[in-house]
Amino acid sequence: MSAVDRADDLELDGDDDDIDEHELRRQEEAYQRQYENEQTWDQLQEDEFGNLFVDKTAEQRARRKRLLSAAQSARIRKGMIRYLLLVVDMSRAASAQDLRPNRLACILGLCRSFIREFFDQNPLSQLGIAIMRNGLVEKLTDLSGSPEAQVAKLDAGKLGSPAGDASLQNALDLSVSLLRSLPPYGHRELLVVFSALATCDPGNVLDSAKACKANNIRVSVVGVAAEVYVCRRITEETGGTYGVALNETHLEQLLLAHSSPPPATSAQAKAELVRMGFPQRSTEEASSAVFVGLEARLLSGNYTCPRCKARVPELPCECHICGLTLISSPHLARSYHHLFPVPPYHEDSKERAEEAAGVLIRQPAMRDEVPTSTGSYCFGCLREVSQPGAAGQLHLTLRCGRCKQVFCFECDAYVHEQLHNCPGCEFGGT
Amino acid sequence: MRFNLEGLTVYFPYEYIYPEQYRYMLELKRALDARGHCLLEMPTGTGKTITLLSLITSYQLAHKEVGKLIYCTRTVPEMEKVLAELAELIEYRAKYLGRGPGSNEILALGLSSRKNLCIHPRVAEEGSRESVDAGCRRLTASWVRERAAERVSRGTTEGGEEGGSSGGAVGEIELCDYFEGHERAGVEALLPPGVYTLSDLRDFGRKHGWCPYFLARHMMAFANVVVYNYQYMIDPKVSQMVSRELEKECVVVFDEAHNIDNVCIEALSVNLRKQTLEAAGRNLGKLSNSIRRAREADAARLQAEYNRLVAGLIAQGALRGGEDWLANPALPADVVQETVPGNIRRAEHFMGFLHRFLAFLRDKMASPVVTSQSPQVFLHELQERVQVDAKTLKFCYDRLSSLLKTLEITNTDEFTPIQLVADFATLVGTYAKGFAIIMEPYDERLPQVPDPVLQLSCLDASLAMKPVFSKFQSVVITSGTLSPIDLYPRILNFNPVAIQSFQMTLTRDCLCPVVVTRGADQMPMSTKFEMRGDPGVMRNYGRLLVDLSAVVPDGIVAFFVSYRYMDQIIAKWHDMGILQEIMQHKLIFIETQDVVETTLALDNFRRACDSGRGAVFLSVARGKVAEGIDFDRHYGRAVVMFGVPYQYTLSRILRARLEYLRETFQIKEADYLAFDAVRQAAQCVGRVIRSKADYGMMIFADKRYQRHDKRDKLPQWITRHLKEAHMNLSTDMMVHVAREFLRAMAQPYDRGAVGKSLLSEAALAALDAAGGLDGAGAAGA
């Protein structure tokens, strides 16, 4: 019984060459069309004057959808004071190059902008950073309120190269030990940026997940490769979110989504008074330099804690002597907008434009000063916006439901993401 | 919901129905209306079982003339699953139909062997099925009970001690309390309507003190739905005892029937090994002794048997005792209704006859070369050498059973070898066509170890199915993979009134079948005989698994074409360091031929997936895992089929079968082999999708899958998702595809896509009014 015998009468597979050349080529092309074509020039379009432009309405619409959903959740009570531990995966998987230039560089860059955005939106909150590497978790920074010190730590050069396995359990345990002792009015959160597809743990990761839940820690994961069951399960158990990024932009969206405060859980929803201090800033003159803070650095500009008179270098922070939360009033004011967000603008349509024209005409004072009635200029930047439904519409045209003013897409984003006040409403006093 | 399907009110226990379920019901209903057989393919994960149950029970309700629903499953867990779904359906139906007598309540029960049903404290502990059966007979055979009864009556007439009928033991004769309880209750022993799983039956039996096995057998006559194993329908030995009483109007369903032809063939095949023959020789010695003893003690009994045989009473079932034991292995239509020939009527003569036959078999087995004979040639040789003729041979089994009963033998498990020999004799004597007798002196894989096997192999699957098709009005054959669907009517030789393959309507592309034809080095890969040993091919297969384990989360399942190839390639991978590389990403578990070991491996595999460690399960097509274990959700995010799982083509049995198929049904060898291989492959990759919310990669790693003759034999629900771009990939391209696919699937998805893939009651009403699904394509919108 050998190959000779086998070859005799049972010719199983016939000739291999009967596959059509043409078919092969078609298959090859189909593959290339689907996976290898990144011809960015395909997105270019040409208008009637021969000008080239990129149609971004679809992308903008998608972004607005997210804004809308964020605005809808505005009525939900939110955690204003957050304690967030950011864990960056630096296991072997982070060196993969499916994100450019590689996963780690991309993630670190986005984490830096996330941290800035986080403190911008939550000035009362604190954040700490840790990395997962070689099956361990290393703490990079303690929880603190200053963005720049944190951002400086997230430098690819200083961190070294990714290696070994990731351990989710160690990250969870670290978060428990760091966040457990924090005051109950604060929201405890763990955010893991997870490149790996497996977690290599010393014990059962689900036990640690239970500990997180017991300590009211909300675990969220942002994955970059694929859905991992255990992440899904832990985030569901602790009330967090789990997203998997499709590409760099999507990853950015997923990360930045965590910068706005999450809805408060019922356990934390009870009202509580928090003692805070509003320290004064000392003069900036070089002659007035004193030793400041825990590290006793010689600094000229500093703040003095109103309770214990200790000096701290920056706000917001916790006094290193008496533990009082020190902030300035603008910080408090900036957190305020989460409670009273600007109502979302609606995409403009013919009917809306007509209805708005009627309202606006009845406000003669307005008509003289700003070109509104035609609806063709943005109320924010005074640049021309296209008519709704016009051919070659470059951008979305939006209208505030309250003051009926028209805005371009950029102004809409600026108003809702940064300004938190509608200029039309403020101006008209309505 | 309750809806109207071409005039039939269907009760369906869910709020929404998939369009393919609706179509399935429609097709099934038309087949039932036409009183014919049908063949339906519908992908797994679309709720096939509930669809079947829902329609057929509703049909029974509307058409009283329709008999029972006989639902055949392959395994006990499947049986339990069917009964659980049925219970849910009945619960739902009760909302409309009410409860209590007269409200069309139904009785449904599962039937299994004594091993699964026995509640006798000692007998139930026995290990194997045969020993439980034997243990039961020791306590319940009619002569044992008669003797016990005699002793009791003698005891009471003598005014002696209290009869132990309730104690179970009378003197030293032990009886089974539960069986006695059931016997005493007689026709009064009835199950109230409801759905009874095996454990429900056992509980009920314990509570009432009735034997669950005999109760279930008894209640079959009253049940509306009976769920049992394939064997009970197909294997003539079993079906004659169990299924003979079923009426013609029954609806018989074979679920997961993609391997039904193999089940049919196994039911009519007998393998004899050297050990079997030796044990059969010892059995004969024992039988001769008992005959001698019986002759001395009670000659009248043997004489009575002789007289009965002369009168030809055997077939009329006039024989007392062991009522459900030793039924003829031949099909009912072929069992001769004649008197036993004179030369074996006397017990001693029959012994001599068996001795001669056994000697002949032993002699055949001593041959050092492989031989393959048709039954005629075999019979001719038998006649020449030991003067045994076919006619006598035919009666061998009946004669043996009569003898065993006459001798009042209860430890039947000891006599299995001689029963096998008689089985062999009867089948050879009965069938001249469709069988082959093959002698292999050693296993071809281990030529140095002598291990002779004499096989009587059935070549024609249609033989065992024929009585089923002719006896019952409607037979439904269904599975997730029946492609190419037109081949089944040919190999099973029947004319279905409906053949249909249904597709799955999905809200997203959650299947991603790909064909990987070459490694990253562009060398083709295949498990073709000339290529499989090539280290380059093995390395490429290894690289594929390494790369895949780096991009696929949680569980991966890999299937190989055979245990032998798996062992070979794992050893090679170990040398190349590929296993270590995989271990960096995932743990590795391997299926072995040992069931306990495999179960343990599976268990740990699941644990590794649950805890996020990730794991790879290496398994074998046609193995236990490929047939019965689901790798749904995160247990199987990707499945790899390494090679085309052809049967072992050098097997003599397969050769004989192929030849027979060609001559009888005009099916080309290569066609059949490809069909068989591809259905196995489809079965393997189908393990990962168990519901619509699930997703998974299906990787066919062999360049031969690129060919039309393979690809076209895959089920339509797979080929429909096989995009042109995925038909000829190298490993690195595949990794790219996998990444994209897994990312896309990880996005949150909208389950409530009502209308496109789900139909509500209102939508169905509209559909019915519009005249069917085709008439109103957009009715769901």
Side-chain angles (χ1 to χ4, degrees), chain B residues 501-691:
Chain B
S501 174
F502 299 92
Q503 308 224 325
M504 191 161 20
T505 45
L506 295 168
T507 44
R508 55 175 191 172
D509 280 338
C510 64
L511 299 182
C512 182
V514 298
V515 177
V516 180
T517 55
R518 56 217 143 93
D521 56 3
Q522 305 306 318
M523 291 303 290
M525 46 190 184
S526 172
T527 53
K528 255 177 121 131
F529 190 73
E530 308 87 69
M531 284 175 72
R532 61 166 64 167
D534 184 351
V537 171
M538 288 196 181
R539 188 174 45 245
N540 269 339
Y541 273 144
R543 297 298 333 163
L544 188 149
L545 201 56
V546 171
D547 291 350
L548 201 65
S549 60
V551 297
V552 175
D554 301 324
I556 297 180
V557 198
F559 289 99
F560 294 89
V561 288
S562 65
Y563 280 110
R564 196 158 158 235
Y565 186 59
M566 181 166 80
D567 293 347
Q568 222 177 339
I569 205 165
I570 287 176
K572 259 282 184 317
W573 283 356
H574 179 72
D575 295 342
M576 293 173 179
I578 282 171
L579 289 187
Q580 285 79 347
E581 272 186 75
I582 296 175
M583 294 280 265
Q584 289 199 331
H585 302 289
K586 293 191 189 303
L587 304 180
I588 300 175
F589 296 96
I590 301 173
E591 178 186 3
T592 63
Q593 270 151 326
D594 185 306
V595 179
V596 181
E597 230 170 40
T598 306
T599 316
L600 206 64
L602 267 172
D603 203 41
N604 285 319
F605 170 80
R606 294 217 174 88
R607 267 180 51 202
C609 293
D610 283 336
S611 65
R613 182 66 185 87
V616 180
F617 197 85
L618 305 180
S619 177
V620 172
R622 299 169 197 280
K624 277 260 178 316
V625 172
E627 269 299 310
I629 311 289
D630 288 349
F631 293 95
D632 54 339
R633 299 176 298 133
H634 60 287
Y635 298 125
R637 286 300 183 212
V639 54
V640 194
M641 181 72 237
F642 288 115
V644 184
Y646 279 114
Q647 283 189 51
Y648 180 63
T649 43
L650 296 185
S651 146
R652 293 284 158 178
I653 298 179
L654 182 64
R655 292 281 182 107
R657 181 150 183 232
L658 287 174
E659 205 169 301
Y660 183 82
L661 283 175
R662 193 190 55 215
E663 281 167 6
T664 320
F665 300 118
Q666 287 78 47
I667 297 170
K668 276 198 291 188
E669 282 109 332
D671 271 355
Y672 179 79
L673 285 171
F675 149 75
D676 185 66
V678 174
R679 78 171 157 177
Q680 293 303 332
Q683 195 55 35
C684 290
V685 298
R687 300 279 107 202
V688 289
I689 296 287
R690 275 316 187 235
S691 82

Side-chain angles (χ1 to χ4, degrees), chain A residues 346-362 371-377 385-390 393 397-401 403-407:
Chain A
H346 302 286
E347 206 172 313
D348 207 14
S349 61
K350 280 231 167 62
E351 301 80 63
R352 279 218 184 93
E354 279 157 19
E355 180 204 335
V359 175
L360 288 170
I361 283 166
R362 266 177 269 128
T372 51
S373 53
T374 58
S376 56
Y377 292 94
V385 294
S386 39
Q387 293 287 344
Q393 188 183 6
T397 311
L398 304 140
R399 199 179 281 276
C400 174
C403 64
K404 309 289 177 200
Q405 298 292 0
V406 172
F407 293 90

Side-chain angles (χ1 to χ4, degrees), chain B residues 285-465:
Chain B
K286 247 190 204 159
L287 278 180
S288 304
N289 279 341
S290 340
I291 291 173
R292 206 170 319 116
R293 245 180 290 124
R295 171 93 46 222
E296 283 156 14
D298 188 8
R301 209 160 72 204
L302 286 175
Q303 188 55 42
E305 183 201 19
Y306 178 80
N307 293 341
R308 258 202 324 273
L309 291 177
V310 172
L313 288 176
I314 205 165
Q316 281 88 33
L319 205 59
R320 59 175 195 148
E323 294 79 0
D324 60 343
W325 173 46
L326 295 174
N328 198 300
L331 300 165
D334 305 315
V335 174
V336 265
Q337 306 289 338
E338 297 172 34
T339 42
V340 173
N343 54 356
I344 53 169
R345 273 181 210 160
R346 278 212 185 279
E348 289 83 358
H349 295 171
F350 181 55
M351 282 294 110
F353 165 82
L354 278 180
H355 270 299
R356 284 208 305 281
F357 185 61
L358 210 53
F360 176 74
L361 291 182
R362 242 185 250 127
D363 189 39
K364 264 208 109 46
M365 221 177 244
S367 151
V369 289
V370 179
T371 53
S372 173
Q373 289 176 321
S374 71
Q376 288 105 319
V377 177
F378 180 85
L379 287 177
H380 184 69
E381 204 182 326
L382 193 62
Q383 175 77 45
E384 293 227 315
R385 300 260 299 274
V386 287
Q387 274 78 46
V388 168
D389 62 343
K391 177 118 190 282
T392 322
L393 224 42
K394 231 185 262 187
F395 288 94
C396 192
Y397 203 90
D398 284 338
R399 182 64 190 88
L400 179 71
S401 77
S402 160
L403 181 67
L404 289 179
K405 284 170 190 166
T406 310
L407 293 176
E408 302 187 345
I409 282 165
T410 48
N411 47 345
T412 47
D413 48 340
E414 269 178 45
F415 289 90
T416 315
I418 191 71
Q419 284 168 37
L420 270 179
V421 172
D423 201 344
F424 187 98
T426 305
L427 285 173
V428 170
T430 313
Y431 296 102
K433 224 171 133 0
F435 280 80
I437 293 142
I438 293 157
M439 212 308 277
E440 287 177 297
Y442 47 78
D443 190 333
E444 296 208 358
R445 283 156 246 202
L446 296 164
Q448 59 278 24
V449 185
D451 178 25
V453 190
L454 187 64
Q455 302 158 342
L456 173 70
S457 173
C458 174
L459 304 175
D460 189 351
S462 66
L463 281 180
M465 278 309 275

Side-chain angles (χ1 to χ4, degrees), chain A residues 150-322:
Chain A
Q150 314 269 20
V151 168
K153 284 276 187 185
L154 280 182
D155 182 61
K158 282 187 215 150
L159 284 175
S161 57
D165 297 308
S167 168
L168 215 48
Q169 191 185 15
N170 286 337
L172 296 178
D173 289 346
L174 177 73
S175 76
V176 171
S177 69
L178 274 182
L179 302 172
R180 184 167 48 193
S181 55
L182 290 170
Y185 55 79
H187 273 236
R188 302 154 181 189
E189 289 174 59
L190 170 67
L191 174 62
V192 185
V193 185
F194 203 51
S195 301
L197 288 175
T199 154
C200 197
D201 297 320
N204 190 350
V205 65
L206 296 173
D207 293 342
S208 298
K210 273 196 203 96
C212 281
K213 192 174 162 55
N215 285 297
N216 284 327
I217 298 173
R218 181 178 190 262
V219 182
S220 296
V221 179
V222 174
V224 299
E227 180 185 5
V228 181
Y229 168 76
V230 77
C231 294
R232 169 80 61 208
R233 183 153 166 200
I234 291 172
T235 51
E236 268 170 18
E237 272 177 19
T238 59
T241 59
Y242 180 41
V244 176
L246 291 168
N247 47 38
E248 290 88 341
T249 24
H250 190 214
L251 178 62
E252 184 178 6
Q253 287 160 14
L254 287 176
L255 261 181
L256 293 187
H258 287 282
S259 62
S260 53
T265 57
S266 55
Q268 293 155 316
K270 47 183 191 294
E272 196 165 350
L273 291 177
V274 182
R275 187 184 283 266
M276 285 182 181
F278 296 87
Q280 292 250 300
R281 186 170 171 82
S282 69
T283 55
E284 299 260 0
E285 281 169 43
S287 59
S288 68
V290 287
F291 290 101
V292 167
L294 203 56
E295 292 100 23
R297 279 180 292 155
L298 195 60
L299 290 174
S300 51
N302 57 63
Y303 300 89
T304 308
C305 168
R307 188 154 68 176
C308 66
K309 308 297 181 213
R311 293 188 176 90
V312 293
E314 57 184 8
L315 296 182
C317 70
E318 222 165 79
C319 174
H320 56 280
I321 304 291
C322 64

